[in-house]
Amino acid sequence: MFQVGDKIVYPMHGAGVIEDIEEREILGETQQYYVLNLSHSTMQVMVPMEKTSIIGIREVVDPDTLEKALLILHDGEPDDSVNRHQRYHLNMKKMKTGDICESAQVIRDLMFLNKNKKLGTEDKFMLDNARRIFISELILVKGFEEEQAIEFLDNAING
């Protein structure tokens, strides 16, 4: 169980801080919810406490794991044997895990493809989403403001 003040990652949404734990009745069912403020937006999300493991919510990574994820940005190339539909589904599967290293692979692969040709709409959206989620975790791990995190990620990708 998480506590108020814990920094967590909600797959497909990003990282944030648990601001409160509330009991709410929704559709006739009373449950306890984590109230999560996401670090990269003004959005507040309520997550049923009993579904956190199913959803894949986890604590933000430690600095060493973050460094490993940053190294992935330069290690490897995308699989050219997959078509764009297969790539989208593979990337979506990676993003749904909530694993920062998987997100780094998605960013790396799509940035590599973007250097050689213009990304399609789905790939562009996937890249933007992967970057946003990665940046949200950078904010909490490194204590950055959003602009600092964006600059840090861009330097890590291009450096």
Side-chain angles (χ1 to χ4, degrees), residues 6-129:
D6 285 353
K7 298 173 183 178
I8 62 172
V9 176
Y10 186 173
M12 300 300 293
H13 294 279
V17 177
I18 296 175
E19 294 293 324
D20 199 6
I21 297 174
E22 295 181 5
E23 187 171 278
R24 291 274 177 103
E25 183 180 330
I26 298 178
L27 299 173
E29 187 177 340
T30 302
Q31 294 186 59
Q32 287 198 305
Y33 290 85
Y34 292 118
V35 180
L36 178 65
N37 280 331
L38 299 177
S39 63
H40 61 283
S41 75
T42 57
M43 188 166 76
Q44 192 176 65
V45 178
M46 294 184 69
V47 181
M49 288 176 68
E50 65 183 40
K51 300 206 182 205
T52 55
S53 62
I54 296 167
I55 295 170
I57 290 182
R58 62 168 174 81
E59 291 183 48
V60 296
V61 296
D62 58 61
D64 290 340
T65 303
L66 176 61
E67 289 304 316
K68 288 177 190 170
L70 291 168
L71 291 174
I72 289 171
L73 295 171
H74 299 285
D75 183 29
E77 294 181 3
D79 182 354
D80 289 338
S81 69
V82 297
N83 65 38
R84 64 185 178 93
H85 296 295
Q86 292 168 321
R87 181 174 57 247
Y88 176 82
H89 290 291
L90 289 170
N91 286 339
M92 183 61 75
K93 187 176 179 181
K94 288 178 182 180
M95 293 304 298
K96 284 181 179 180
T97 69
D99 184 307
I100 193 168
C101 292
E102 298 276 333
S103 295
Q105 289 175 15
V106 172
I107 293 168
R108 176 200 64 205
D109 292 352
L110 292 175
M111 291 295 293
F112 182 86
L113 291 172
N114 194 40
K115 287 180 184 176
N116 298 321
K117 63 179 180 173
K118 186 175 176 160
L119 293 179
T121 305
E122 284 181 333
D123 285 337
K124 175 89 172 92
F125 180 78
M126 181 72 68
L127 176 58
D128 290 346
N129 192 43

Side-chain angles (χ1 to χ4, degrees), residues 138-154:
L138 265 176
I139 290 169
L140 294 180
V141 174
K142 293 278 197 182
F144 288 152
E145 295 295 322
E146 186 171 7
E147 288 304 314
Q148 290 175 298
I150 292 168
E151 184 177 336
F152 184 88
L153 179 59
D154 288 342

